[in-house]
Amino acid sequence: MPKTVIIPPGTGKPLAPYVPGTLADGVLYVSGTLPLDADANVVHVGDAGAQTRHVLETIKGVVTAAGGTMDDVTFNHIFLKDWADYAAINAVYASYFPGEKPARYCIQCGLVKPDALVEIATIAHVGKP
């Protein structure tokens, strides 16, 4: 099955050997997305809500570059550093999915960048009805 690599304009160099997104048979897989600027520095240090917004805007850019919208998102994998940030993350998250919500899970774990408070990976169906 052919696949298409999705790299939106302005994307910074990844921290490891991966791409922002891969589209295969109408399904978009968005890599785990951290709150990073183009130089791989964590943004909005200490602010889980702002980091979540940055992450979701980055994901939105990948989904848009693949020809979809956030309404096409069907599943999110959410990783948070501290359960104390759960409410702040959910408040921002809900604003990106105001209608029918995608399925998801959320776990607490260590993240690759110590100042990162949230990471989200996404699956969206953008190609076929």
Side-chain angles (χ1 to χ4, degrees):
M1 163 180 29
K3 64 182 180 180
T4 303
V5 170
I6 307 296
I7 303 175
T11 298
K13 183 179 178 183
L15 296 174
Y18 65 88
V19 294
T22 302
L23 183 63
D25 200 28
V27 180
L28 175 65
Y29 302 90
V30 180
S31 292
T33 304
L34 291 161
L36 303 177
D37 63 18
D39 296 320
N41 298 308
V42 175
V43 297
H44 309 296
V45 173
D47 187 337
Q51 285 191 7
T52 302
R53 184 169 292 104
H54 185 90
V55 165
L56 288 169
E57 283 297 318
T58 302
I59 290 169
K60 184 177 178 180
V62 177
V63 172
T64 300
T69 71
M70 293 299 272
D71 286 337
D72 298 318
V73 172
T74 56
F75 198 88
N76 286 303
H77 315 264
I78 304 170
F79 309 91
L80 65 113
K81 186 174 182 176
D82 189 332
W83 284 116
D85 295 324
Y86 188 65
I89 289 167
N90 277 331
V92 173
Y93 179 91
S95 72
Y96 280 81
F97 303 102
E100 292 182 3
K101 312 292 186 244
R104 74 177 213 182
Y105 68 76
C106 185
I107 63 168
Q108 180 184 10
C109 62
L111 300 174
V112 70
K113 290 279 197 165
D115 287 331
L117 302 174
V118 63
E119 178 175 351
I120 301 174
T122 297
I123 299 172
H125 289 254
V126 300
K128 295 185 177 183

